[in-house]
Amino acid sequence: MRVQYDAGTGDPGKKALWQGAALLGGAALLSKLIGTLQKIPLQNIAGDEVFGLYSAVYALAVMWMTLAAAGIPVAVSVLVAERTAQGDEQGARRVLRWALLLLIGSGLAMFGLLWAGADVFARWMGQESAAAAIRMSSLALLFAPATAVLRGDSQGRMNMLRPAVSQLVEQTARVAFMLGALLLAVDAAWSPSSTAAAVHGGLAAGALAGLAVMLIFAARAGERRPLSLSAVGLRKNYAEGGTVRPAVRPVTLPESRPALVKKIVRVAIPVAVASVVAPLFGLIDAFSIPRLLQEDGGEGAWTMTQFGVYNRGVALLQLIIMGAAGAAAAIVPALTTDRARGDDGAFVSRAVFAMRFAWWLGCAAAVGLALLAGPINTALFGDDSGTAAMALVALAAAGGTLQAVSAALLQGMGAMRAPAVNLAAAALFKLSLNVALVPAYGIEGAAAAMAAAYAIAALLNALSLRQRVRLPAPRAQLAWRSGAALAAMAAAVALAAL
């Protein structure tokens, strides 16, 4: 999908911008949904110990891939958009070239550190058997950074179809490889460590498939792109599906290499900080829960089994929060437009509606999932192990949806740092609660810590919102109605479950 080009102004059409954002957001949501749902057959076929190993190593791999990218794809998108808007195709290509060099270098460095330090990370987790899976997951760092840069370049050129297709192909290839490796490992009676390692090969397979798609698109675009930068040539290029550029190219002076690299890094750092915070909850659980269970006297295999049981509820919680975040992302452009126009009334109206939507969705999901934890656990995962923990994790849906929607509202206001800082504070709170509760109450303590941490994140975001915009205070009448409706829903669900 390409933007509609206005020859008079050079501005993209609003409809096309919305369509592009919806396409990319929908692809991201669908790919995450595929990735989350694949955890169910993984647990059903391989068991809780392999599921626990997979979940712990996956949290580590996501953090390392986030560090390797470090916000540079977003910087590429911004800088490429600036240069293509000015008709500076050579400058846009220089941004892409240097960003690729930066991320390929960082990917190789991160791969080397993760591969060489796999035994150390496994010991820090309290699970030396996780080393093989950590090494296998590190292979994705050879391909994922370059894929991220190419996607950023396409987004900067307002071509959302390429990264959307690449994301879906990447996730599909990852899940297909994972299921194939899983069936092979189970049929050959491999150990839990070897099975988890084989399954993590899907990360590299998916990253390679996503990169291949972007390279194919780039090759086709290169064949279609004309050499002429004349007005006639540019309009012909647009008609043939090439990259849109203004009819007249202004005279620009090329930036020095150090200046360009510095600009890329300067734009990337704020995004990188926010991106690194997102996987913190999973990483904190991966490094704290198994070790805390071991300190309480548990054996290595048992602790990983318990961690796998705990992640049953987490997988369902992620689906709920992901849905809320996807819905909230759809209102961010409208909020940004309201803020740019100075229309505080429209902004407040949208914000109130979004927060009420998050409250109703989150509370309904929390109550429903908590009451039906037993039947859902048995239906999806084959037994009722960890039902109490799943019910407690379900309560995090209320805070999680409020946190996701309020973070989108803050971003719509231009407050990019506040949601990341608040989530980081909540993650540290989660760690302290894990330390206090897991030795005494096991995975139920970790689940309670999850619910409390998301509630804190939502509260901090709400306070940040009230500092920036005058939101109406919650009304007692609305609170009573909400409580009555939730109580009626809970009673209906409880009666249906009998």
Side-chain angles (χ1 to χ4, degrees):
M1 173 180 290
R2 291 190 181 276
V3 298
Q4 299 170 355
Y5 179 70
D6 188 332
T9 64
D11 291 333
K14 291 182 180 179
K15 182 179 179 181
L17 284 174
W18 278 94
Q19 289 174 342
L23 178 65
L24 196 58
L29 190 62
L30 181 58
S31 64
K32 289 179 180 179
L33 181 63
I34 295 171
T36 301
L37 291 178
Q38 56 91 23
K39 295 178 181 179
I40 295 174
L42 172 61
Q43 185 276 338
N44 287 177
I45 298 172
D48 288 314
E49 183 180 353
V50 172
F51 186 43
L53 276 170
Y54 173 85
S55 300
V57 175
Y58 183 76
L60 178 64
V62 168
M63 175 62 77
W64 277 80
M65 284 192 284
T66 303
L67 288 172
I72 288 180
V74 176
V76 170
S77 176
V78 172
L79 296 176
V80 167
E82 290 178 355
R83 282 151 181 76
T84 53
Q86 297 168 358
D88 184 9
E89 176 61 24
Q90 183 179 0
R93 291 184 182 183
R94 289 185 74 232
V95 170
L96 174 62
R97 183 166 59 251
W98 279 99
L100 278 172
L101 289 174
L102 283 173
L103 277 203
I104 289 174
S106 68
L108 287 172
M110 295 292 182
F111 162 74
L113 287 172
L114 195 56
W115 183 277
D119 292 321
V120 175
F121 287 114
R123 283 197 296 271
W124 287 351
M125 285 182 181
Q127 293 293 328
E128 295 187 5
S129 60
I134 292 173
R135 288 193 176 91
M136 185 63 74
S137 69
S138 70
L139 295 175
L141 291 165
L142 299 175
F143 312 108
T147 309
V149 172
L150 292 173
R151 288 173 182 167
D153 177 69
S154 289
Q155 292 172 30
R157 298 174 185 275
M158 296 306 298
N159 189 329
M160 305 302 183
L161 180 62
R162 296 176 186 177
V165 172
S166 177
Q167 285 183 24
L168 290 176
V169 170
E170 175 181 343
Q171 196 68 281
T172 303
R174 183 172 77 85
V175 173
F177 185 97
M178 185 212 76
L179 291 176
L182 178 61
L183 293 174
L184 176 64
V186 171
D187 184 63
W190 290 359
S191 67
S193 174
S194 298
T195 302
V199 167
H200 268 290
L203 288 174
L208 180 59
L211 177 60
V213 170
M214 293 306 301
L215 290 175
I216 291 171
F217 275 127
R220 290 180 177 176
E223 292 173 358
R224 291 196 305 265
R225 185 178 293 123
L227 295 177
S228 172
L229 288 174
S230 66
V232 174
L234 287 168
R235 291 192 178 96
K236 180 181 178 183
N237 181 30
Y238 171 67
E240 294 175 351
T243 301
V244 179
R245 292 185 289 274
V248 179
R249 178 182 178 181
V251 177
T252 56
L253 295 176
E255 295 172 290
S256 65
R257 293 176 182 176
L260 179 58
V261 172
K262 183 178 179 180
K263 182 174 289 188
I264 293 172
V265 173
R266 186 171 64 247
V267 176
I269 286 176
V271 180
V273 172
S275 299
V276 168
V277 170
L280 269 183
F281 272 62
L283 194 68
I284 284 172
D285 280 346
F287 276 88
S288 64
I289 294 176
R291 181 167 288 279
L292 290 168
L293 289 173
Q294 281 187 354
E295 290 177 359
D296 196 39
E299 297 294 332
W302 178 83
T303 59
M304 267 299 128
T305 299
Q306 288 294 295
F307 188 62
V309 171
Y310 165 76
N311 271 280
R312 295 181 183 186
V314 174
L316 298 178
L317 174 66
Q318 289 172 345
L319 281 177
I320 297 169
I321 296 177
M322 182 172 49
I331 68 171
V332 170
L335 292 170
T336 304
T337 301
D338 292 337
R339 185 172 61 89
R341 292 175 177 172
D343 192 348
D344 292 339
F347 184 94
V348 170
S349 177
R350 294 183 198 274
V352 169
F353 170 78
M355 291 297 284
R356 286 181 179 174
F357 165 79
W359 170 253
W360 281 105
L361 175 66
C363 288
V367 171
L369 185 57
L371 290 174
L372 296 175
I376 291 174
N377 197 11
T378 303
L380 294 181
F381 300 104
D383 57 52
D384 62 352
S385 298
T387 294
M390 180 179 287
L392 288 170
V393 168
L395 299 179
T401 52
L402 283 169
Q403 184 276 329
V405 173
S406 56
L409 293 176
L410 288 167
Q411 290 166 2
M413 298 175 63
M416 300 296 181
R417 294 177 57 186
V421 172
N422 294 339
L423 195 60
L428 293 177
F429 181 64
K430 172 76 163 73
L431 176 61
S432 64
L433 287 180
N434 278 356
V435 173
L437 298 178
V438 171
Y441 302 103
I443 59 174
E444 286 80 10
M450 178 74 78
Y454 268 119
I456 290 296
L459 177 62
L460 292 175
N461 277 359
L463 293 175
S464 297
L465 275 172
R466 292 187 66 84
Q467 288 177 352
R468 292 167 171 80
V469 65
R470 291 185 177 180
L471 295 176
R475 292 179 296 177
Q477 184 180 9
L478 180 63
W480 279 109
R481 289 178 180 176
S482 301
L486 289 171
M489 188 197 80
V493 171
L495 288 173
L498 293 177

